[in-house]
């Protein structure tokens, strides 16, 4: 079974600084997708960024980028120029390819932004 | 409103009672998912529908749980004879193959408290 592990229950960063959230996963599949979701307090979860396993290039979305290390099964999220609105729970998630639908989530990292 | 909606947002019930939650997906989405999120954890997959067909169920979905999507639009999740361990946030998501890379869009959740 696939598992996703986030080893940092909480992280904090100064506003405008850069922070990196860690995620490792375990799978025997070669075709899969990885995601970072953001869950603000009392608000719904939204997708931040996704990475297809077959792509070597790391995904980037504005201030958010990933470091995808396929051999190490590592998928970290870097947030640059942190803003107060980035404060949230961040979940790393995995989805097997080939038509599979279910997302497997990590335990989450609570990110605090210090003004 | 173009997002996923869930009702009720909060439900408090006594142990042994039955509860039913409703999810209205984004209108053109034919896939609908249910997840359960306990405090401090990431969401766990429960089940998913494509149109009215329930295509996958997690082992977490005991025989006290039943989900339906009778007309391929809204879905209901019923829990019979609730137990304190059922206390959690129940999240619904929807997606449409071919749109936004089949991204799952989440609703705000229904928070269940079993006393």
């Amino acid at each position: 079974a696939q598992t996703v592990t986030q080893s940092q229950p909480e992280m904090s960063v100064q506003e405008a600084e850069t922070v990196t959230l860690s995620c490792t996963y375990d799978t025997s599949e070669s075709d899969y997708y990885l995601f970072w979701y953001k869950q603000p307090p009392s608000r719904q979860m939204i997708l931040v960024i996704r990475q297809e396993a077959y792509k070597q290039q790391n995904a980037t979305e504005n201030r958010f980028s990933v470091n995808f290390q396929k051999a190490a099964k590592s998928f970290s999220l870097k947030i640059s120029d942190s803003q107060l609105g980035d404060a949230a729970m961040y979940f790393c998630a995995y989805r097997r390819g080939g038509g599979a639908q279910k997302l497997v989530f990590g335990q989450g990292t609570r990110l605090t932004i210090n003004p | 409103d173009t997002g996923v909606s869930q009702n009720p947002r909060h439900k408090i019930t006594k142990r042994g009672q039955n509860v039913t939650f409703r999810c209205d997906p984004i209108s053109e989405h034919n896939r609908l998912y249910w997840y359960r999120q306990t405090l401090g954890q990431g969401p766990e997959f429960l089940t998913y529908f494509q149109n009215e067909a329930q295509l996958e169920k997690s082992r977490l979905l005991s025989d006290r749980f039943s989900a339906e999507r009778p007309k391929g639009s809204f879905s209901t999740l019923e829990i019979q004879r609730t137990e304190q361990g059922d206390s959690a946030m129940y999240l619904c998501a929807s997606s449409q193959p071919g749109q936004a890379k089949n991204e799952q869009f989440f609703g705000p959740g229904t928070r269940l408290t079993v006393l």
Side-chain angles (χ1 to χ4, degrees), chain B:
Chain B
D1 184 6
T2 58
V4 178
S5 62
Q6 293 187 245
N7 288 288
R9 295 290 307 276
H10 303 272
K11 178 71 176 178
I12 300 174
T13 191
K14 293 183 178 179
R15 189 177 54 183
Q17 298 294 305
N18 299 343
V19 294
T20 300
F21 311 140
R22 176 177 170 130
C23 171
D24 287 89
I26 294 171
S27 60
E28 64 269 24
H29 286 187
N30 68 9
R31 289 180 177 162
L32 187 148
Y33 314 79
W34 286 99
Y35 292 84
R36 181 174 69 185
Q37 184 178 19
T38 53
L39 204 60
Q41 299 296 317
E44 297 172 293
F45 172 81
L46 292 178
T47 188
Y48 110 87
F49 293 84
Q50 179 154 317
N51 299 312
E52 66 275 9
Q54 189 173 19
L55 297 187
E56 188 174 353
K57 291 172 60 173
S58 163
R59 288 172 294 176
L60 293 173
L61 214 64
S62 75
D63 55 5
R64 295 185 299 106
F65 288 70
S66 62
E68 295 183 344
R69 195 182 183 199
K71 297 182 179 179
S73 56
F74 72 91
S75 175
T76 57
L77 178 67
E78 180 183 16
I79 308 174
Q80 296 182 327
R81 305 181 303 280
T82 52
E83 302 173 355
Q84 288 186 327
D86 297 330
S87 295
M89 177 77 84
Y90 290 84
L91 298 172
C92 177
S94 71
S95 72
Q96 177 64 21
Q99 286 188 10
K101 299 183 180 180
N102 196 31
E103 175 188 341
Q104 293 184 26
F105 292 83
F106 283 82
T110 294
R111 182 169 297 283
L112 172 65
T113 302
V114 181
L115 301 177

Side-chain angles (χ1 to χ4, degrees), chain A residues 56-77:
Chain A
Q56 292 186 334
Q57 187 173 6
N58 289 324
T60 299
E61 290 286 344
N62 301 313
R63 298 182 295 108
F64 298 86
S65 61
V66 298
N67 184 6
F68 174 45
Q69 300 290 325
K70 191 171 184 178
K73 295 181 181 175
S74 169
F75 183 61
S76 61
L77 174 70

Side-chain angles (χ1 to χ4, degrees), chain A:
Chain A
Q2 295 86 14
T3 59
V4 177
T5 301
Q6 294 178 249
S7 59
Q8 305 155 315
E10 296 184 358
M11 292 282 285
S12 64
V13 64
Q14 291 294 125
E15 193 176 3
E17 298 294 306
T18 295
V19 64
T20 299
L21 308 184
S22 300
C23 172
T24 58
Y25 60 96
D26 186 25
T27 184
S28 58
E29 304 288 337
S30 59
D31 178 21
Y32 56 87
Y33 303 84
L34 296 165
F35 308 84
W36 279 98
Y37 280 87
K38 171 185 178 181
Q39 188 176 41
S42 301
R43 293 178 60 188
Q44 54 217 75
M45 193 163 340
I46 58 173
L47 179 64
V48 174
I49 198 166
R50 65 177 273 156
Q51 175 80 42
E52 291 88 342
Y54 64 85
K55 290 187 176 179
Q56 292 186 334
Q57 187 173 6
N58 289 324
T60 299
E61 290 286 344
N62 301 313
R63 298 182 295 108
F64 298 86
S65 61
V66 298
N67 184 6
F68 174 45
Q69 300 290 325
K70 191 171 184 178
K73 295 181 181 175
S74 169
F75 183 61
S76 61
L77 174 70
K78 185 172 82 171
I79 306 174
S80 303
D81 185 26
S82 298
Q83 301 175 0
L84 295 177
D86 294 334
M89 285 291 291
Y90 285 81
F91 293 97
C92 179
Y94 165 99
R95 192 182 88 210
R96 184 170 54 89
Q101 297 303 316
K102 76 174 186 182
L103 291 167
V104 178
F105 287 87
Q107 306 92 319
T109 297
R110 182 177 302 281
L111 178 63
T112 302
I113 311 297
N114 300 314

